[in-house]
Amino acid sequence: MALASADDSLRIDHEQYAIVGDEFDSATDEERAAILRTAYEQLMQRANELEQRERKAVRAHAAGDMPTAELVQTLLRNHNEAAVLSEQLEDLDQRADRVSSYSMSPMQKRVDKNLLDSHQTPHSEKSESSVRSDNKLRTL
């Protein structure tokens, strides 16, 4: 259930982002720079939300207030969402190259990419496999 709602949220975000893309193509350089700044701020807000959600889940699990399966689902949700955000960050970077009055710092791009990559570890992929196996057993 939680994964389905996360997928719905990501689809909505993607649709909103696509609209920004249409506006971007017909905008002036100044407008493009403003669109990029706004989109980047929203993307980083989402990345920070991933970080907070993970910390909260890990603390709750450590305190015995969250079952392991729920922790794994939270980590999996973060993994999937971070993958989408990574793609959006790459798209923003490519768009920034087309705007003469705007650039993204290479150092900041690395920091941002590392932040998102931290939610896409091989451990997360193993968690996804574990959740899928567990869900199959529940349906049997």
Side-chain angles (χ1 to χ4, degrees):
M1 181 70 100
L3 292 175
S5 67
D7 285 346
D8 290 344
S9 173
L10 290 173
R11 273 190 218 100
I12 291 167
D13 286 354
H14 178 72
E15 290 169 3
Q16 290 172 339
Y17 191 76
I19 292 169
V20 169
D22 292 339
E23 292 174 9
F24 185 86
D25 292 336
S26 62
T28 66
D29 269 2
E30 260 182 46
E31 293 168 334
R32 287 179 177 184
I35 290 169
L36 287 170
R37 274 191 295 278
T38 300
Y40 177 77
E41 288 169 5
Q42 290 173 348
L43 188 143
M44 293 318 301
Q45 180 180 352
R46 291 295 300 272
N48 289 330
E49 290 169 4
L50 289 179
E51 187 70 24
Q52 294 304 313
R53 181 170 52 219
E54 184 170 313
R55 287 176 192 225
K56 181 180 176 184
V58 168
R59 279 190 218 114
H61 182 262
D65 297 333
M66 178 183 280
T68 301
E70 191 174 334
L71 172 65
V72 170
Q73 283 185 335
T74 299
L75 296 175
L76 178 57
R77 178 179 176 196
N78 280 5
H79 171 84
N80 293 335
E81 204 165 329
V84 171
L85 293 176
S86 290
E87 290 174 14
Q88 290 180 349
L89 181 61
E90 181 63 32
D91 184 54
L92 287 178
D93 184 36
Q94 290 174 2
R95 288 175 185 269
D97 290 343
R98 296 174 24 203
V99 180
S100 60
S101 63
Y102 184 84
S103 68
M104 295 177 74
S105 155
M107 187 167 131
Q108 187 61 48
K109 285 188 287 192
R110 268 194 309 277
V111 169
D112 298 341
K113 183 171 178 358
N114 288 341
L115 171 67
L116 294 170
D117 286 349
S118 72
H119 296 286
Q120 299 178 69
T121 64
H123 176 70
S124 297
E125 291 168 6
K126 289 177 188 173
S127 298
E128 180 176 5
S129 174
S130 175
V131 167
R132 286 185 181 154
S133 296
D134 188 42
N135 285 341
K136 285 180 185 176
L137 289 175
R138 286 184 200 166
T139 57
L140 294 176

